[in-house]
Amino acid sequence: MISVYKKLLAYVPEKKFLAFAAIFLSCASAFAVVSSYYVLYLFLQQLLRRGMPLQLGYAKVFAVLQALAVLLYFASAWLSHLLGFRLETNLRKRGIAQLSQADFAFYDTHPSGLVRKLIDDNASQTHQIVAHLIPDQAEALLAPVLVLILSFFIKWYLGVFMLLLSLLTLILYKMMVGEQEFIKEYSRLMEEMSAEMVEYIRGIPVVKIFGTGPGAFKRLYEAIRAYAKAVFNYSLSCRKAFVSFQLVFMAIPAIAIPCMLPFTERLSREDLIVFLIMAFFLTGTLFSSLMKVMYVGMYAKQGEMAVDKLEELFEETAQRRLEFGDETEFANYQIDFEGVSFAYEDENVLEDLSFTLPPGRSYALAGPSGGGKSTIAKLLSGFYQVQSGTIKIGQKPITAYSEQALLDTISFVFQDVRLFKISLYDNVALAKPEASYEEVMTALSQARCDDILDKFPERENTIIGSKGVYLSGGEVQRIAIARALLKDAPIVVFDEATAALDADNEFALQQAFAELMKDKTVIMIAHRLSAIRNLDEILVIDKGKVLERGSDEQLMAYPSLYRQLQINYHLANDWEVQYA
Amino acid sequence: MHRLYKEKLGLTDEGAKGLVKSTWASFAVHLFNFLPAFLLLYFIDVALNASAIPKIGFLAASLLLLLLFYFVLNKEYILMYDETYKEAANLRIELIEEMTKLPLAYFSKHDISDLAQTFIADIFALEHALSHSIGKLVSFFMAFVLISIMLLAGNWKLALCIIAPTLIYLGMVLLSRKIQLRKYEHYYAQLRENSEAFQEAIEHSQDIKSFRLQNQIYGTLNKKMEQTEKIHIDSERASLIPMLLGGIMQNLSLAAVILAGSTLMLRGDISLLYVLAYILAAIKMKDGIAVMAGNITELYYLSPMVKRIKEIREAKTQEGSKKAFSRFDIRLESIDFSYDEDTPVLKNCSFAAEQGKVTALAGKSGCGKTSVMRLISRLYDPDRGRIFIGDVDTRTADVTSLHRNISMVFQDVTLFNTTVMENIRLGRPEASDEEVKEAARLANCDEFIRKMPQGYRTFIGENGAKLSGGERQRLSIARAFLKDAPILLLDEITAALDVDNERKIQYSLNRLIKGKTVIIISHRIKSVKNADHIVVLDEGRVIAEGRHDFLIETCDLYRDLTEKSDLAENFVY
């Protein structure tokens, strides 16, 4: 229990005092409540001592104490809400900060929607838990103890009765919660069912189209039935204990009266009645406290799970924290891979890969998809952690350079470019904030973006993402090339589009990139193999290895893999729909 | 009550019936709850006035009460939990079956994994509410009315001391929820905005780093979060005051009974027993309300979930009856279509595709080609106009009988976490293993399937996660071979593949299309220039149609596309 608090409060150091204040207030509230019960006892005594003049003082004190208890409880709840809100905000902020540190492999393997949901949902859950946990927990734990003390204080036999009752309910409660084993089994079945349901729902369109589902759906029905059976059995197994538990509290006089029957002669009638009424009254408090303990336990567990999930994410991002050095000068732009290994999670992409790319030349990476071409390009950015080996630029490891120096030196134009929801102009100008208007417009024009501007009345001031502004993949990539042109970095990495570009776009894109290549060290991930024949060197990559390298002329001169790729490419390209 | 449950909670007939039963059982428990107090009062009466206490009588009465009460509680438990959980399977299966009746567009419009997650969470919440709160709450109010009447009949002044604070408390709870809901609109709007900004920041994280925008973007986000916290506090504060007042009122009911009771007793209006009776009643009422407060909260959280489940139940299913198709020409007549109202995608689009011939769609990206495919297969329905297959208006045909005649091979392929064999067999469920294998051979899948650890019996992971893009695509072509439907829709099926895979798919395609009515979209104009008929689309309109040679002569856009295509093809860096 304490560990949960510790974990949560670590994220709100500036508001820790709120937690203590809230605990204090809620304890004070429990005190007020229980002392009001003592006043009630005094009042009952007075009421039953017939013949004595009845004073209203006790009733008034009782009212005041009860109202005070509510006030204190609310004050405690309010403070813990404030704490909860801050906790939520801080967890989100922390999430953002952590994410900004992660390397790019993290983003490659974690869908953005899931990451956002994980942070959003769990942060908001912790707020709810803290807001309700603190006041209820302090009260739920303290109140039963105070009630027992009060019972003993009033009459020893009331104390004994309440104590026995508490023990009985604890036993019933234990029986009710059931075995740990079952809970595990239950959550396993539940997860299984949920997974099957997700798969099923995703498959519904297919099922509709084919008119029937595959055998896999039998498994969904089985999973649902297994789950339903398990909860039903659980529910059956708890019944006796839960029913008895309720019975004890609801029918307390029917238990208390028989207990007192042997002592009717020894006790005064007044004491007898006071005992019964107080027992009736105090068990109610005991009951609601126990119920609260149950809920609180559940909340605490959820809170812990929420924080654990977040911390897992934080941990993961922290492990992927990138290192940068403080070198700012590059001796030259030669690129070396020295024994580089890289894996996504447990999937090896590159293994002990070494090669050198002398500066000032253009290179094409060719080979089947999944062979490691894109990975090589991505690793150059310095935003990935390699498992082993060194990547060097200008004979120094890329980790030796400052982040800014690396960013200034390499331009990337990848396929999945996303534009910011700002104006087209600003999207380009980002690459060089000090650029003049003319520079930006020249870059746009060189990147063959004029026809894109022509599409919109606002031209370069068109806001991306606003109504009716649609850019195709090829158009977005051209704008990315405009950025790179403006940035004018000495090394350019380009991932040629494979996606369904219409011919119009593709040609424009090719021209734009040809513009960008001028006087640079170029690394291109090639898909249109016909276009790379004039590049200085071609590296054929498959299974994370450089299998062949050389100019087009050299590689075409013998039965190389490259030659086979080129032949296949032309066959595929010349394919035509044929029919009988 | 039955109808109310059905309407308000979106329950089935069975479900509502069960809930009515459990409500009555809870009602009995609420009433029984007051019996021990009567026993106690009777005992007090005897203890105050009689000289001897009939021990055997009280013992017997106590035991009888315990026994009866146990019986009632047990019954309530059975009806409330056992019945709900017995229904747990039925509720899910029933809702899932409802889901399969939703129009295909519903799945295209919603993010499917999101939809599934929400759906699962909703069912759990509904299940919990069904077993824990709803029956209890409704029966509590029924019992409350009955008990109030009884209390009023005894002594109306004391009764009011109990009833009035309770009513005020309940009113305050409702009022604070109302305030909260209203205030929360603002808060939720802000939350949504934050989520979007957050999502965008995550999606852009690589660009943010590349352009060193961290401080700017994350700074704005942080500010947004802080602002949200303020709004949240404001909205919570607004609902706090009525809750506080309500809570105080509720706690004061006992004090009020004590004060009023003793005053009345002092005046000699009522006896001691009366005072004690109302004190006991006040205690019981207070304990009962404390439990109910939690149930009310649960119900408030439930309403959006019930709304979503109801939405699924009530979503318009695609109409249409079983139709027999005899001809397979496809004809679009003046189709208008848009995904959202602002941006029309197809405008007055008409063309025909002849039976047994290949028709290609050409045009720039975003011109509406893919939408045409979606409309023919009724993944969406057009806003205006009609689509005929043979002489059947597709709108009058149910989706199943329509799809019996259409094979679709699109860019994204949905696969299931089962064996390769079953995934292909989906194309024609009654096909034998041999037929499945034959289809796989025709689709050039045989080779890679045999390389898998258990061949055709290999499980391929959730949504076929263990397969590459090319392999997925080939499986989907195998399905189409197996299905052998007279109409074939092919949308950019090789666009994202490497050369090897593309070649393999091309081989099988030429076999697949024989004798079928084919509509094809390809980014390589060249590959479809042999098509019998080419339809050129521009901004959602058909601007020209005919054979390649004719279009080259007459259609500027087509000629331009072909020329650019050649230029791109012959381009050398």
Side-chain angles (χ1 to χ4, degrees), chain A residues 21-22 24-30 32-33 63-79 135 139, chain B residues 240-241 243-249 251-252:
Chain A
F24 174 77
L25 286 172
S26 105
C27 288
S29 163
V33 170
V64 170
L65 282 172
Q66 286 267 314
L68 185 66
V70 178
L71 264 175
L72 288 169
Y73 177 82
F74 268 84
S76 163
W78 182 243
L79 294 187
E139 201 185 80
Chain B
L240 182 79
I241 291 167
M243 279 301 276
L244 177 64
L245 286 176
I248 291 178
M249 284 313 289
N251 264 26
L252 286 186

Side-chain angles (χ1 to χ4, degrees), chain B residues 367-387:
Chain B
C367 71
K369 290 175 297 205
T370 299
S371 303
V372 168
M373 298 291 215
R374 291 180 176 156
L375 290 175
I376 293 172
S377 50
R378 283 199 81 184
L379 295 181
Y380 287 87
D381 282 331
D383 303 329
R384 196 177 69 89
R386 294 193 295 179
I387 299 173

Side-chain angles (χ1 to χ4, degrees), chain A residues 17 28 104 133 156 297 331 368 412 449 451 486 575:
Chain A
F17 67 94
F104 284 0
L133 189 64
W156 66 268
F412 288 90
C449 294
D451 67 317
L486 187 65
W575 178 79

Side-chain angles (χ1 to χ4, degrees), chain A residues 575-580, chain B residues 356-358 481 484-486 488-490 506-520 532:
Chain A
W575 178 79
E576 290 169 1
V577 170
Q578 277 162 11
Y579 43 92
Chain B
K357 298 275 170 78
V358 175
F481 266 113
D484 199 29
L488 187 60
L489 306 178
L490 304 170
Q506 288 171 343
Y507 272 126
S508 23
L509 267 188
N510 279 345
R511 264 181 284 190
L512 181 61
I513 62 178
K514 273 198 187 101
K516 303 204 162 69
T517 307
V518 179
I519 298 187
I520 184 170
D532 301 285

Side-chain angles (χ1 to χ4, degrees), chain B residues 155-176:
Chain B
N155 181 300
W156 67 269
K157 284 176 196 157
L158 286 179
L160 278 185
C161 290
I162 298 173
I163 298 165
T166 308
L167 284 179
I168 293 174
Y169 170 70
L170 288 174
M172 287 296 177
V173 170
L174 292 180
L175 178 69
S176 93

Side-chain angles (χ1 to χ4, degrees), chain A residues 198 201-203 205, chain B residues 106-108 110-117:
Chain A
V198 172
I201 293 171
R202 190 175 43 221
Chain B
Y106 190 90
F107 296 96
S108 332
H110 295 74
D111 175 60
I112 290 190
S113 62
D114 215 37
L115 189 77
Q117 298 289 3

Side-chain angles (χ1 to χ4, degrees), chain B residues 352-418:
Chain B
E354 237 180 289
Q355 174 165 355
K357 298 275 170 78
V358 175
T359 303
L361 304 181
K364 292 187 178 184
S365 67
C367 71
K369 290 175 297 205
T370 299
S371 303
V372 168
M373 298 291 215
R374 291 180 176 156
L375 290 175
I376 293 172
S377 50
R378 283 199 81 184
L379 295 181
Y380 287 87
D381 282 331
D383 303 329
R384 196 177 69 89
R386 294 193 295 179
I387 299 173
F388 288 94
I389 291 180
D391 46 15
V392 179
D393 183 342
T394 54
R395 276 216 182 192
T396 65
D398 72 2
V399 178
T400 317
S401 59
L402 179 68
H403 281 284
R404 198 157 291 149
N405 297 295
I406 301 179
S407 282
M408 300 184 292
V409 185
F410 289 175
Q411 257 193 66
D412 27 308
V413 181
T414 306
L415 297 171
F416 294 93
N417 187 10
T418 174

Side-chain angles (χ1 to χ4, degrees), chain B residues 441-454:
Chain B
R441 264 190 293 279
L442 289 169
N444 263 319
C445 295
D446 202 46
E447 189 193 327
F448 85 80
I449 295 173
R450 282 183 190 285
K451 278 189 199 152
M452 295 172 91
Q454 276 114 34

